[in-house]
Amino acid sequence: MSGNPIRKVALRNLAAHKVRLALTVLSVVLGTAFITGSFVFTDTLQRTFDDIFGDVAQGVDVRVSAEELGASGVPVSDIATVEGLDGVARTAPLISGSLVVLGSDGAAVQTGGAPVEGLAWLPPDRTLGDPQVFVDGGPPVADGQIALNTSGAERGDLHVGDRTQVLTMAQGMVPVTVSGIYDVDSDTGGYIGVLFTETQASALFTDGRHVQSIDVAGDGSMSPEALRDEIAAALPGTKVQTGAEVTEEVKSQVSEALSFLNYFLLAFGAIALLVGTFIIYNTFSMIVAQRMRELALLRAIGASRRQVGRSVTLEALVVGLIGSVLGIAAGIALAYGLRAALNAADLGLPSGPLQLSPRTVIVALIVGVVVTVVSAYAPARRAMHVPPVAAMREESTGGDASLRVRTLAGVVAGVAGAILVAIGAQGTGGGAAATVGVGALALIVAVLFAAPALSRPVVRVLGAVFARPFGAVGKLARTNATRNPRRTAATAFALTLGLMLVSVIGVFGASAKTSVDALVDNGVESEFVLTGPPMLGLPSAVVDAARGVDGVAEVVSAHTVVAKVGDDEDFQFGTAITGRLQDAVALDIVEGTESTTGDELLVSQSVAAERGLHPGAVVPLTSRDGETVDTAVTGVYADNQLIGPWITSPELYEQFTPVGSRSAMVVLVGTEAGADADAVRAGLEDATKQFVIVQVMDRDEFKGQQAQQIDMLLAILYGLLALAVVIAILGIVNTLALSVVERRREIGMLRAVGMQRAQVRRTIYIESLLIAVFGAVVGLVLGLVFGWAFVRTLADQGLDHIAVPWGQVLGMLVGSGVVGVLAALWPGIRAARTPPLEAIVDV
């Protein structure tokens, strides 16, 4: 028999079973759509940011900046040095800093997370590149005036001549008048740029002795590279780059930041494909089983084994191509919808035309086609090796084949995985987490191999609970669910993976919230907590305002200090405290005293043990400006997640932190004995109202705020994982629909001997419920074990309390049962409509 008739048979078989084709294609579509959507979304963001930052060094031949990001900057005296060098035509200092703009309603203008930046305006004769284009009014010409970009003006409902205020970390509230509104060429999302006069910007954002950087334009007598080298020789200890190098560095930083998002989304796309793979494999296994007689007939009339296998593989190839093409289209729609959702949430992201690169199309096609063909390979081989006479004698489902070998392999993998998970859970850090991860993978493989053997006893137990009330119908459903354990296990495994991931995340979230609650309950002794925006903090003036409130006994503010400790190459984050720390936080001093004044240092037990430190030891701290201070260790405290690895004085904090970067992470307020808490709170709110960004919370509210942030992250994860669960549900629908076709003669016989349509439907519903609950039980058990183990490895990061969301677990079990019934509605109706006589004589 030639290859052409075999191709015709394969294609006509696909065309003859449109529903089966649609369900199989859908599983490929969903997986490839997520991968395509991930690439399109991140490529679009990447292209948009590249367009924005492509002009970051427009007109700049050379830029001079500090060696370390976050340092004080470049000395103002270096400007004159640069201007005196050969080949230099002009210089332009960059002065900038973070701030908050108040809108016309007196509230902080919301940017959705995009930065709000104050900048020094330079006249056109000092500007490198294109000057700002004003659409209304003009630039600031006197201190107290500002110009806003159009996005900032629209968001704040501000117009030329309006009076408002800006909040800076160094000087608190500053009254200003809008002098003009300028346009920005590219879409910058929620970004707000505020222009000040050069003198006022310097006073607000610098110490008066430094600028953030110096941009240089050459006179054309030498190349940018030569000019760069000349300036670098004149200014040792600074970072000197050409304009092209600056642009590439910024683009690289953006690309690195977006790569995490891309990997994150692709990981969920891989999960969706993995779940879809089992559906495709299960589908083709059932298709081959149902077509054994047809394939045997082909063998009987001359088709070779290879041609039969090629026929099945060709079907898979067609399904993969169709699913991948549709998945690419669906992925573009997914990326569009994701961007629209983020814009609706006002996250401050810039927008731009969707980017569909050839790489995205090629990857989606390869992945979709390869996954589908590989999934069909085992069923194709099985079809090739079934003897024609045996297949023609009776339909074969493969349910009676021995499970001994795969079950033994599953047991071995399960034992190895359990040992690795147990070992990894005993430690902390990346190595322990990797050990748990390898063990978890082994356990998943174990379930994959052993699930068919496991399904029979588990489904029997579940049947005793769910099926027994339905009598003979329930018994028949339980028998159907256990008759082909391979099919039951493969169908349930998709749901197992989805719920396993959901429960792992649930354990993480519950443990994180419980750990935060315990940290606050056991660590914070103050009655009130004052916080601001996470990336901005609170101005120091808030501390003075809080101290003046009646009934306040103590105000303690915590600040982040960045320094190199000892001979370390990397900078670390420590804490500086103003006020008496032990009045606000339960700090356990295990050695020495709690004194932190001047050049004194407190270290945690972990740091002390790692470095061999005791009271009296001298530890050099080096700032990002390269300044080194020898600090004396005065005490050692028990590890405290609230405080961090080391504590130093407010004097050292100011010495190490540039003026424009100084802010308080949090302010803790203790009340006097007998003070009325409500009155003190009202006083704090009134005193800090002028700063607009301050939130006054008691400890319970502070815990609730942290829990809300955790819930927001979990909601994103659950939303992405919902795709895997949706695919799993479709897999159950797919399997049941194909199972109805496979059991057509059996259902016809049951109908002929008196079974009612309602009883047929009920049988399918109960069978689906048993399969779904089996998959859910296995997935939840795995997820809880993995979640427990992974949280154990994060104990050193503050997740030292393990919690199980039992309500969520119970909800998922109940939901799985409901999903099982809903997934069976269409297959059940289809089964009930089977004509008895036609089904009995169907060959």
Side-chain angles (χ1 to χ4, degrees), residues 423-655:
I423 292 173
Q426 303 307 309
T428 58
T435 302
V436 171
V438 174
L441 180 61
L443 282 174
I444 293 172
V445 172
V447 169
L448 175 61
F449 281 109
L454 182 64
S455 68
R456 278 179 168 158
V458 174
V459 170
R460 287 193 183 104
V461 172
L462 294 174
V465 177
F466 296 105
R468 179 169 293 178
F470 296 95
V473 170
K475 185 176 181 180
L476 180 60
R478 183 176 63 178
T479 301
N480 288 337
T482 57
R483 182 169 55 184
N484 191 329
R486 280 186 171 86
R487 184 178 66 214
T488 296
T491 305
F493 192 71
L495 192 59
T496 294
L497 283 178
L499 292 189
M500 178 197 74
L501 294 169
V502 170
S503 54
V504 166
I505 292 172
V507 172
F508 266 107
S511 299
K513 287 188 277 190
T514 301
S515 298
V516 169
D517 288 351
L519 197 63
V520 174
D521 288 336
N522 300 328
V524 177
E525 297 185 345
S526 297
E527 283 74 18
F528 296 102
V529 181
L530 311 185
T531 64
M535 301 301 294
L536 194 61
L538 294 170
S540 56
V542 170
V543 177
D544 296 331
R547 285 200 177 105
V549 175
D550 291 339
V552 169
E554 185 65 41
V555 178
V556 175
S557 59
H559 311 260
T560 300
V561 184
V562 182
K564 289 181 180 178
V565 180
D567 297 329
D568 290 352
E569 294 184 0
D570 298 324
F571 286 95
Q572 296 183 5
F573 293 92
T575 306
I577 300 296
T578 60
R580 179 177 162 80
L581 180 60
Q582 287 192 315
D583 289 338
V585 175
L587 190 68
D588 182 14
I589 302 294
V590 297
E591 191 177 1
T593 68
E594 64 167 308
S595 174
T596 51
T597 58
D599 298 339
E600 294 177 337
L601 188 71
L602 286 175
V603 296
S604 67
Q605 278 184 305
S606 296
V607 172
E610 179 185 344
R611 299 174 181 270
L613 300 177
H614 297 281
V618 175
V619 179
L621 295 184
T622 304
S623 73
R624 286 183 289 198
D625 286 323
E627 180 182 6
T628 299
V629 174
D630 290 330
T631 61
V633 176
T634 58
V636 178
Y637 59 90
D639 290 355
N640 189 310
Q641 294 293 333
L642 280 174
I643 301 301
W646 44 274
I647 306 171
T648 190
S649 66
E651 294 87 357
L652 196 65
Y653 165 72
E654 292 185 358
Q655 186 176 346

Side-chain angles (χ1 to χ4, degrees), residues 149-167:
N149 65 330
T150 51
S151 173
E154 290 170 0
R155 286 174 174 265
D157 190 25
L158 294 170
H159 307 86
V160 173
D162 287 352
R163 295 179 180 275
T164 185
Q165 296 184 89
V166 295
L167 172 65

Side-chain angles (χ1 to χ4, degrees), residues 506-515 784 787-788 791 801-806:
V507 172
F508 266 107
S511 299
K513 287 188 277 190
T514 301
S515 298
L784 294 179
W788 166 82
V791 171
H801 288 70
I802 298 176
V804 176
W806 291 113

